[in-house]
Amino acid sequence: MKKITFTSILLILSVDCFATQLIYQPVNPAFGGSYLNGSYLLANAAAQNDHESGGSGYVAPTALERLSNSLQSRLMSQLFNDAANGGEGYLLTDDFEINVVNEDGSLIVHITDVLTGETTIIEVGGIVDDSVGG
């Protein structure tokens, strides 16, 4: 019995002698792993990829569409600048009807979607009219 106890204690103490620290080694070569793992990781990623390879589906706008967008942007910019300076304005595009009113220093913008009839009202306060003397 003493021999078995002594042997078991000796065995338990000897296990600790062979323990070493765990060292992290990255797998991905981009983070310091072995370069030999690159093709394996790429093959796994390709196998898991469920996206269609048909492209993004983006169609570049034509020159006429770019010109139309540019003109609409310029007109809206001019409309808001005039309203900020005390004026009022109205703009009708293919998609929206925009009415801008400056009431006592508050800029009120009524945007109506022509197709659905939905109306959005945006009110911006704090616009000070420079033409009023003080």
Side-chain angles (χ1 to χ4, degrees):
M1 179 74 173
K2 289 184 182 183
K3 192 174 185 179
I4 295 174
T5 307
F6 179 71
T7 308
S8 62
I9 291 174
L10 185 62
L11 183 62
I12 290 173
L13 292 177
S14 65
V15 172
D16 289 336
C17 296
F18 297 114
T20 61
Q21 287 185 338
L22 295 176
I23 299 174
Y24 171 73
Q25 184 176 3
V27 175
N28 192 334
F31 300 112
S34 173
Y35 67 92
L36 297 174
N37 293 334
S39 61
Y40 170 75
L41 292 173
L42 183 61
N44 279 342
Q48 295 174 12
N49 186 5
D50 60 352
H51 296 287
E52 297 177 11
S53 62
S56 66
Y58 173 75
V59 178
T62 64
L64 184 60
E65 290 172 337
R66 286 195 315 262
L67 177 64
S68 174
N69 289 339
S70 176
L71 286 173
Q72 286 181 8
S73 176
R74 175 72 178 146
L75 288 171
M76 282 192 274
S77 175
Q78 184 64 40
L79 179 68
F80 291 129
N81 284 335
D82 290 346
N85 292 328
E88 295 181 356
Y90 175 80
L91 177 65
L92 178 64
T93 65
D94 292 337
D95 300 322
F96 298 104
E97 177 182 339
I98 302 171
N99 188 15
V100 180
V101 180
N102 188 347
E103 293 182 359
D104 300 327
S106 292
L107 184 67
I108 300 174
V109 182
H110 295 269
I111 303 171
T112 304
D113 188 344
V114 175
L115 300 175
T116 63
E118 292 182 42
T119 301
T120 302
I121 299 173
I122 301 171
E123 184 173 346
V124 180
I127 296 177
V128 178
D129 190 7
D130 292 337
S131 63
V132 178

